[in-house]
């Protein structure tokens, strides 16, 4: 099984990613497990693609080993695509999931459920020291609710109801969420790209 370093320190992301990549022979370890410095990459890109690549390239320079990076977030139509690339720090640099969710609810509460449409976006970048680069994007469409429901997942999961369902991501089991989530879709695309290049 190939071992890849995750550029993220988000344990929820790493857990979700490895639940999928382990099925096609990739074990993901955290930056801390790899013994890398704890300094953070400044995510100042204007797109998920830019931030994902920036994180992956920085960690690969430090480690000289294969790296996988995920940049993801929530795009809400009725508030002009916010929080978008600022999803993790929507309520400020020292915010947490609860504060981010509270700010989002406050901004969308004046809109009807039908207008509270949006999507989770995930862009996965995998870089190899030999110069290989693989990029895959996945999206999950849905609606936002005004009260947190469910205890699974992380981030905006308790507010997001995917299309075709009447439960939030946070009310689903990890396995169910991974089958339909933005990150699951991106990782499945990545699997196809790697297989096509005989990396697996």
């Amino acid at each position: 099984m190939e071992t890849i370093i995750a550029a993220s320190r988000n344990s929820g992301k790493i857990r979700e990613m490895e639940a999928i990549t382990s099925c096609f022979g990739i074990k993901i370890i955290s930056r801390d497990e790899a013994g890398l410095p704890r300094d953070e990459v400044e995510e100042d890109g204007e797109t998920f693609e830019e931030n994902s690549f920036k994180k992956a390239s920085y960690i690969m320079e430090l480690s000289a080993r294969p790296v996988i990076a995920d940049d993801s977030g929530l795009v809400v139509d009725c508030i002009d695509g916010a929080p978008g690339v600022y999803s993790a720090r929507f309520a400020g640099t020292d915010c947490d999931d609860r504060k981010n969710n509270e700010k989002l609810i406050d901004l969308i509460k004046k809109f009807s459920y039908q207008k509270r449409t949006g999507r989770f976006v995930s862009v996965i970048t995998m870089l190899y020291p030999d110069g290989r680069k693989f990029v895959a994007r996945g999206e999950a469409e849905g609606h936002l609710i005004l009260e947190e429901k469910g205890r699974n997942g992380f981030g905006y999961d308790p507010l997001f109801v995917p299309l075709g369902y009447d439960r939030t991501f946070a009310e689903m089991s990890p396995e169910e969420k991974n089958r339909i989530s933005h990150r699951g879709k991106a990782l499945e695309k990545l699997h196809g790209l790697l297989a096509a290049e005989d990396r697996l």
Side-chain angles (χ1 to χ4, degrees):
M1 182 172 285
E2 184 175 20
T3 299
I4 304 286
I5 299 173
S8 175
R9 252 195 210 96
N10 184 316
S11 59
K13 280 188 180 183
I14 294 173
R15 186 167 53 252
E16 284 190 358
M17 290 166 68
E18 192 179 27
I20 297 169
T21 62
S22 62
C23 297
F24 52 88
I26 292 178
K27 174 180 174 59
I28 298 176
I29 63 172
S30 69
R31 291 174 53 180
D32 295 339
E33 289 178 279
L36 298 179
R38 296 182 63 86
D39 51 315
E40 296 294 339
V41 182
E42 185 179 4
E43 298 180 35
D44 55 0
E46 296 183 0
T47 65
F48 296 110
E49 283 81 2
E50 289 177 10
N51 284 331
S52 180
F53 176 75
K54 187 172 185 178
K55 288 186 282 189
S57 58
Y58 177 74
I59 298 304
M60 193 179 71
E61 288 175 9
L62 288 178
S63 66
R65 294 170 61 183
V67 174
I68 189 169
D70 165 89
D71 195 63
S72 54
L74 180 66
V75 176
V76 182
D77 298 318
C78 61
I79 51 175
D80 299 321
V85 295
Y86 304 104
S87 291
R89 53 194 185 280
F90 191 39
T93 54
D94 296 323
C95 63
D96 56 16
D97 289 349
R98 177 57 61 85
K99 290 179 180 177
N100 283 336
N101 285 343
E102 288 174 351
K103 179 176 180 178
L104 179 62
I105 290 170
D106 188 57
L107 290 174
I108 66 174
K109 63 185 179 183
K110 63 183 177 182
F111 297 96
S112 68
Y113 180 78
Q114 288 74 21
K115 292 185 177 180
R116 294 196 304 268
T117 56
R119 65 209 51 82
F120 269 120
V121 177
S122 170
V123 175
I124 304 286
T125 300
M126 184 177 286
L127 299 180
Y128 285 87
D130 64 6
R132 300 260 184 160
K133 174 184 176 182
F134 301 91
V135 181
R137 180 184 177 107
E139 298 186 7
E141 300 281 344
H143 287 82
L144 283 304
I145 59 174
L146 302 179
E147 178 184 359
E148 292 187 1
K149 292 185 178 181
R151 296 185 178 182
N152 295 326
F154 58 95
Y156 301 97
D157 285 354
L159 299 178
F160 185 81
V161 179
L163 286 183
Y165 293 80
D166 58 4
R167 291 170 294 137
T168 68
F169 270 168
E171 293 178 289
M172 297 179 177
S173 68
E175 295 77 16
E176 185 177 10
K177 178 190 171 185
N178 285 342
R179 285 196 297 269
I180 63 173
S181 75
H182 51 307
R183 191 166 294 111
K185 291 175 181 177
L187 288 167
E188 284 302 317
K189 289 181 181 178
L190 177 67
H191 182 199
L193 293 172
L194 292 170
E197 290 287 329
D198 294 324
R199 300 297 301 190
L200 299 176

